[in-house]
Each structure stands twice: as C-alpha cells, then as structure tokens.
Amino acid sequence: MHIHLSDFLSGRQESRDYEGELTFDTFDDGLSSHPVVEKQPVRLQITKTGEKCLSFLAKAAFSLSMPCDRCLEPVVIPFSYEVGREVDFGDEDQEEEPAYLEGYVLDVDALVRDELFVHMPMKVLCREDCRGICNRCGANLNHGDCGCDRTEPDPRMAAIRDIFKEANR
C-alpha cells in the first residue's frame, strides 16, 4: 500500500486513518524466504505534528511459515506489533531517506517489513522437546528412532583408536 503525503505537508489534512492489505506474500530475511500464510489488514494513522513533520502509527498482524531450527519442519509463527515513526521533511541534516519513504510517498509494506526484522524470533521450534534430525541419515527423530548408531567416540581416545586400526590392517 502506497500513500501520498502531499495533502499532509501542504496543510490540507491534519490526521487520517487508513486500512489496507499488505501486498508482500513472502518475507526475505537475507538468509531465506518465508511465505506469509495469513494476514490481516494493516491499520495506519498519519498525523501532522509540525510544519513539515509527520507521525506514522501502523498496527500489523500476520503469520509466517518458518522452518524449525532443529527438525526443519514448517512452523507457523504469528506476528502482531505496532510501528511508530516520526519524519521531519524539513530537516536538511537528515543523511538519508528512510527505506519506507520514496520522496513524499509512504510505502506501508516497507514500514512493516523493516520492523519485522526486530521482531524475528531468535530460535524457531516446532515444540519445546523437538528432537531434531539424525546427523547420520537426516531422518526426523520426532517421528521415531531411525536406528543409526549416533554414539560419538571420545576425541581424546583418537590416538589409541589409530593404533588399533594400524594393528588390524
């Protein structure tokens, strides 16, 4: 959703509420792309707070499908948050334009996406007791044991194992 801000900056409008759909269907976090599985309309309030100052308050709610960090099964993660920003269009010292602004046009999707980076979970688990995948065959251990020998030998005994391997040749 794109909103032209010229009415606010020219003084014809002081405040207005908007409601619209998010247009992005996937979220790319730089490592992988996560599909949006459910989304609700975004509620946005724009208020003129000064001569060339605007305040944005957006409320977004949606769900992403993300892989479990242990077993890689898809998990639906709900997100619901508010985004608040203030922009002074008269500030000459502003180094660069925010990513959610293109001149005097507000890109609501970019505003919501930028804030999503802050709200991303550190670890995604399908359940607290997720057993993960077998490091030998890749089977999902939540569905049952795969039968692989997953005992890890003590690395301190590597020299002795090498001696026995040489003796058995």
Side-chain angles (χ1 to χ4, degrees), residues 60-124:
F62 53 92
S63 298
L64 296 178
S65 177
M66 303 175 75
C68 174
D69 286 334
R70 291 184 187 157
C71 68
L72 304 177
E73 291 289 323
V75 180
V76 175
I77 306 291
F79 293 91
S80 179
Y81 55 85
E82 288 187 0
V83 182
R85 297 283 187 274
E86 287 205 18
V87 176
D88 185 358
F89 287 94
D91 186 6
E92 300 297 326
D93 296 330
Q94 189 174 349
E95 292 180 18
E96 63 182 58
E97 189 173 72
Y100 53 87
L101 287 176
E102 300 165 11
Y104 294 111
V105 176
L106 171 65
D107 183 353
V108 179
D109 283 1
L111 180 68
V112 170
R113 262 194 322 265
D114 285 354
E115 189 69 15
L116 180 55
F117 280 105
V118 176
H119 289 87
M120 291 295 282
M122 294 298 286
K123 185 174 245 357
V124 175

